Amino acid sequence: MKQPLAPKRWFRIIPIVFITYSLAYLDRANFGFAVAGGMADDLNLDKATSSLLGSLFFLGYFFFQIPGAHYAASKSAKKLIFISLILWGALAAATGMVSNVTSLIIIRFMLGVVESAVMPSMLILLSHWFTKKERSRANTFLVLGNPVTVLWMSVLSGYLINSMGWRWMFIIQGVPGIIWAFIWWRMIDEKPKDANWLSEEEKQAVENQLREEQAGIKPVKNYAEAFKSTTVILLCFQYLLWSLGVYGFVMWLPSIIKAAPDMDIVKTGWLSSVPYLLAISGMLATSYFSDKTLNRKIFIWPFLLAASVAFFCSYLIGTQHFWISFALLVIAGGALYAPYGPFFAVITEILPKNVAGGALGLINSIGALGSFIGAYLVGYLNGKTGGFESSYILMAVALLLSAIITIIVIKAPANILKEEV
């Protein structure tokens, strides 16, 4: 019977990666709680300004994805993430000390810049450690940091704002990132050959398997050649539309719930956490079966379609039936997150290593643009119309189009680029 390939990798690499991405994700979601919990009143923010501030993070995130991903792929993902964690923690804590809108604008934009390289760097790091048959699960444990963080953060933020105010919420949630940066530096290794906790045989077995997988992919000359690929372009557009739905949902869910009758910030926190329970179980299930079948496509588009239908049904029901609408939002939230593992596995499987970092950066960058649009437009529509129906339609249409593009562009097995270029 064939021995498992260096099982120690899962117990060493995955917990560190999970905690790191969890800490780096905090500020994307806690801003929505701060707005709902007093920041808007204290700093005299109207709906339009709140929407702009919520989305500015993603604008900074958009501009610096590709250079960060290229550095991680060609130099060191470990070093880049170490620096990002320290700067992120400091900026997140500084958010709790702002006294005017101008400084808040600068901090929100710089947070996006600092965090822009974390996601593609993590994906590149995981591609150095896990094989094709493992990658969807490894990516999922990384991205699980997203819903798990929002799950506990939603509850904690509600209590922190209620007892200490929004300023202390930011400060308390920013400091752990700085501390964790040094644990990250001590515990993580760039590649199997650097790990003194693996035997020489284990190192060689992992490196050989990864080398064999890349041998089947036709080399791509440079980034320009990869970026001109129809597949990469469509994946960028697909991820833009998907991210529009995700961050329209994440940023404004607390405000949607808080608007219900007899709703305080603590109840808002508890209810906001519920969709992420479903998201966690969905992500684990899709990643497991995606790796088992290596059919990524079927574990992506049906969930995007389900989220689209849930948002559309929320629009039809309206705000007068809060609990039915809330149940649909729970379904939408779970479905939005479920396909992340299979989706990012596709990218690293169809691209050679010399351009995978840049392509991941490009796709994640365009996704950040979608996040910016979603966070801004959903907030803008909510403020302009005085309700949430228009934003439900926006997210439903975006996710429907994203599902359609997925059906068109992703083949099974994922081998499009090596044929195309």
Side-chain angles (χ1 to χ4, degrees):
M1 184 177 175
K2 191 176 179 181
Q3 291 294 314
L5 187 65
K8 280 184 282 189
R9 293 168 303 147
W10 292 93
F11 302 105
R12 175 69 177 234
I13 300 296
I14 292 299
I16 300 169
V17 162
F18 173 82
I19 293 169
T20 304
Y21 190 59
S22 294
L23 289 172
Y25 193 82
L26 266 175
D27 60 281
R28 300 190 206 184
N30 64 10
F31 184 81
F33 276 92
V35 171
M39 176 191 267
D41 294 332
D42 291 350
L43 297 180
N44 296 314
L45 306 177
D46 57 26
K47 296 273 188 185
T49 307
S50 296
S51 298
L52 178 63
L53 286 165
S55 58
L56 263 178
F57 170 92
F58 300 106
L59 201 57
Y61 201 83
F62 166 72
F63 282 116
F64 291 90
Q65 284 277 318
I66 296 174
H70 175 70
Y71 181 89
S74 59
K75 298 288 177 74
S76 172
K78 175 180 176 177
K79 186 183 293 184
L80 189 59
I81 293 168
F82 171 74
I83 295 167
S84 296
L85 277 168
I86 293 173
L87 293 175
W88 167 80
L91 286 166
T95 307
M97 304 173 195
V98 296
S99 58
N100 57 70
V101 176
T102 303
S103 56
L104 191 54
I105 286 171
I106 294 168
I107 288 173
R108 290 298 296 171
F109 181 79
M110 289 307 301
L111 270 169
V113 171
V114 167
E115 274 197 49
S116 61
V118 173
M119 180 63 167
S121 297
M122 287 288 200
L123 291 167
I124 290 162
L125 185 82
L126 290 176
S127 73
H128 294 161
W129 281 96
F130 296 96
T131 66
K132 183 176 179 178
K133 289 185 177 180
E134 302 167 323
R135 205 160 289 149
S136 181
R137 278 168 293 158
N139 290 346
T140 291
F141 282 116
L142 163 65
V143 184
L144 263 177
N146 176 326
V148 169
T149 299
V150 182
L151 175 65
W152 64 260
M153 183 279 302
S154 296
V155 177
L156 179 62
S157 294
Y159 279 108
L160 284 175
I161 292 172
N162 190 57
S163 59
M164 304 174 74
W166 62 269
R167 291 185 181 279
W168 277 105
M169 178 199 72
F170 280 119
I171 294 167
I172 290 169
Q173 292 180 352
V175 171
I178 300 172
I179 298 169
W180 182 257
F182 296 93
I183 298 172
W184 162 268
W185 185 259
R186 178 74 179 83
M187 297 294 290
I188 206 71
D189 295 293
E190 195 85 38
K191 294 179 180 178
K193 64 182 176 62
D194 304 321
N196 58 16
W197 43 272
L198 286 178
S199 68
E200 288 303 318
E201 293 79 11
E202 288 172 321
K203 293 179 188 179
Q204 203 60 49
V206 176
E207 296 275 7
N208 289 344
Q209 181 65 41
L210 292 169
R211 198 161 33 246
E212 284 172 20
E213 291 175 2
Q214 281 287 307
I217 302 177
K218 183 180 175 181
V220 175
K221 186 169 58 178
N222 51 37
Y223 284 143
E225 188 176 350
F227 291 176
K228 286 187 290 186
S229 158
T230 304
T231 299
V232 171
I233 292 168
L234 286 173
L235 284 174
C236 286
F237 192 50
Q238 184 264 14
Y239 196 47
L240 181 148
L241 293 164
W242 181 2
S243 298
L244 189 159
V246 170
Y247 286 100
F249 176 83
V250 170
M251 292 296 292
W252 296 105
L253 181 65
S255 294
I256 291 170
I257 294 173
K258 182 75 162 46
D262 303 317
M263 191 66 63
D264 60 32
I265 194 67
V266 173
K267 287 180 189 173
T268 298
W270 278 103
L271 290 176
S272 295
S273 70
V274 176
Y276 302 102
L277 288 170
L278 184 61
I280 292 163
S281 56
M283 289 175 75
L284 291 171
T286 55
S287 65
Y288 174 80
F289 289 108
S290 170
D291 276 348
K292 203 156 184 69
T293 63
L294 291 182
N295 183 349
R296 311 300 189 194
K297 178 177 180 175
I298 197 64
F299 295 102
I300 301 172
W301 73 262
F303 291 95
L304 299 178
L305 181 60
S308 174
V309 171
F311 279 127
F312 184 69
C313 290
S314 292
Y315 159 75
L316 292 177
I317 287 167
T319 54
Q320 62 270 32
H321 302 288
F322 172 76
W323 290 108
I324 299 174
S325 181
F326 175 72
L328 289 166
L329 291 174
V330 170
I331 293 168
L336 281 169
Y337 280 96
Y340 271 118
F343 177 76
F344 284 114
V346 165
I347 302 167
T348 53
E349 288 167 7
I350 65 179
L351 286 163
K353 278 191 175 180
N354 70 308
V355 294
L360 274 169
L362 177 67
I363 292 167
N364 215 39
S365 176
I366 300 301
L369 189 59
S371 304
F372 171 80
I373 295 167
Y376 179 75
L377 276 185
V378 168
Y380 175 80
L381 289 171
N382 292 348
K384 197 75 173 174
T385 63
F388 307 108
E389 291 82 359
S390 298
S391 56
Y392 291 156
I393 288 291
L394 172 69
M395 291 186 282
V397 171
L399 291 163
L400 175 62
L401 292 173
S402 183
I404 292 168
I405 294 171
T406 304
I407 294 168
I408 293 168
V409 72
I410 297 178
K411 305 290 190 295
N415 58 0
I416 312 150
L417 263 200
K418 64 183 180 184
E419 297 170 359
E420 189 177 311
V421 299

